[in-house]
Amino acid sequence: QVQLVESGGGLVQSGDSLRLSCVVSGHHISGYSMGWFRQAPGQEREFVAALHWSNGRTYYTDSVKGRFTISRDNAKNTGFLQMSTLKPDDTAVYYCATKRGGIVSDLSNHQSYDYWGQGTQVTVSS
């Protein structure tokens, strides 16, 4: 049984940093692409960042480039999303997701992911 568990969310002030973690069990992350998505109330789920399983490259939505960093620790079977210079617009529930393999052009498509965590709330006050 595959399980993804996010943690690290919380209430912070504008300009602060947070690091989200995503502990994966049931499959090893080395053969899977990982993505982070977020969903604010009343809005659709939005792509935030992804890490390709094979080339190791990272991809970001424009609004977080230069502020967020996605990474993974294969030994711990854990993914991370380091978020810096947080803004109120970053407020959302953040989800991690994995999919076996994956092509670069599909990394931002949430429907292409196989497994999801339960989400962790990030709230940024102004």
Side-chain angles (χ1 to χ4, degrees):
Q1 180 181 359
V2 177
Q3 192 173 17
L4 282 64
V5 179
E6 302 102 331
S7 62
L11 172 61
V12 297
Q13 293 187 334
S14 183
D16 285 351
S17 299
L18 280 174
R19 187 174 84 154
L20 306 183
S21 299
C22 175
V23 178
V24 179
S25 59
H27 75 68
H28 199 276
I29 63 174
S30 60
Y32 286 71
S33 295
M34 175 173 281
W36 285 90
F37 294 80
R38 64 187 180 187
Q39 189 165 19
Q43 297 188 21
E44 294 185 354
R45 191 161 296 191
E46 174 191 26
F47 168 73
V48 176
L51 192 154
H52 191 261
W53 73 279
S54 178
N55 63 27
R57 292 182 178 176
T58 56
Y59 304 86
Y60 302 92
T61 191
D62 286 345
S63 63
V64 308
K65 284 180 181 177
R67 300 189 298 122
F68 290 14
T69 303
I70 185 173
S71 63
R72 68 185 180 195
D73 184 332
N74 287 349
K76 296 181 178 180
N77 220 37
T78 300
F80 303 97
L81 184 68
Q82 176 69 47
M83 307 186 294
S84 303
T85 319
L86 283 162
K87 305 175 181 179
D89 284 349
D90 295 318
T91 295
V93 177
Y94 283 70
Y95 300 89
C96 65
T98 60
K99 59 177 176 178
R100 188 175 184 86
I103 57 175
V104 172
S105 61
D106 220 20
L107 290 178
S108 61
N109 178 11
H110 67 89
Q111 294 181 326
S112 70
Y113 284 77
D114 301 314
Y115 305 106
W116 290 84
Q118 82 290 348
T120 185
Q121 176 70 47
V122 172
T123 303
V124 184
S125 64
S126 58

